[in-house]
Amino acid sequence: DDESSKIKSLASLCKQHTRSMGFHPRMYKESNRCSERKEWSSCWAQECIEILGDEWGCGLREDACETPFRTTLHQTRNPYHTVESLVTKFCPALNETIHASFHTFTTALFPSQDWSSMSCIEAVTAYVVEYTNAMLLAREAAAIHASYRIEDTSPCDVAQLAGWLDESTTVYLPHTARIRKLCHSELHKARQPMTSTKHKINKGLVKLEWSDLEGGKHGSRLPSGSKETEMKLRTLMEQLGYNPQ
């Protein structure tokens, strides 16, 4: 069935440790079997398969996740800038194919796409579109309770969406009064939109133009001048409330 096919696809993530992707079985829970001294082993591979089998789709099953959450939020960022950041990290050159680690993940998560046929820019854009659309579908299915744009949302806004300011929805009551106090002051930095000051990948390295997404550019196999990739990204931006200028 579809579920078993998906688990089989995800199992490809467990063949070996995939660098640069921030994924390892120990991120989910401590292991009583596998040695922390080894970055990867047959033990970690088996634990990886077991965890993916348990955790994939667990949010749709009541109390099924290792780390259950009462409220799930979807944070969005301008997809155009997300594409630029991913290009910076995973495209060694604009006309090359995608980074091997990125290819492993995209193939596992979205096996219906022919990632090997795409240029690096096309693959990165396709991943952003596919992933975000999956989150939008989860929102429609009520698996995600709310979404917010990182560019114009403050920590207090997030606390409000998460239910931390309401005693009837908060998980840990002592925090409610403290967060309310912080968010009551209009001058507190927690009332200001969040800005990233650390771990920035694209520090003026990549600035894409819409023309860079055209077919025939940077290793693209699409017909020359094709707007297919551009239109997918523009449509997503409009769905999320961003201006695709």
Side-chain angles (χ1 to χ4, degrees), residues 144-168:
I144 291 177
H145 302 91
S147 62
Y148 63 90
R149 304 193 324 173
I150 187 65
E151 295 89 348
D152 47 26
T153 306
S154 72
C156 287
D157 293 329
V158 176
Q160 180 72 50
L161 290 171
W164 294 349
L165 303 182
D166 187 336
E167 292 181 358
S168 66

Side-chain angles (χ1 to χ4, degrees), residues 3-17:
E3 190 64 21
S4 61
S5 297
K6 173 57 71 175
I7 297 301
K8 183 178 179 180
S9 171
L10 289 170
S12 63
L13 298 176
C14 303
K15 291 181 180 179
Q16 59 187 22
H17 179 47

Side-chain angles (χ1 to χ4, degrees), residues 6 45 55 69 76 85 90 133 141 146 152 161 193 222 224 229 238:
K6 173 57 71 175
E55 295 292 308
F69 295 97
T76 68
S85 293
F90 295 109
N133 281 335
D152 47 26
L161 290 171
L222 293 174
S224 180
T229 302
E238 290 174 350

Side-chain angles (χ1 to χ4, degrees), residues 133-145 239:
N133 281 335
M135 296 301 101
L136 293 175
L137 288 174
R139 176 79 191 277
E140 290 180 9
I144 291 177
H145 302 91
Q239 284 180 291

Side-chain angles (χ1 to χ4, degrees), residues 41-83:
S41 63
S42 58
C43 180
W44 282 121
Q46 181 59 39
E47 192 145 311
C48 175
I49 292 173
E50 292 173 4
I51 287 174
L52 287 174
D54 291 340
E55 295 292 308
W56 184 259
C58 67
L60 301 176
R61 307 188 300 270
E62 187 174 356
D63 297 327
C65 297
E66 178 73 19
T67 53
F69 295 97
R70 181 176 295 177
T71 303
T72 301
L73 305 177
H74 176 211
Q75 175 181 288
T76 68
R77 180 194 179 203
N78 188 320
Y80 193 93
H81 298 320
T82 301
V83 168

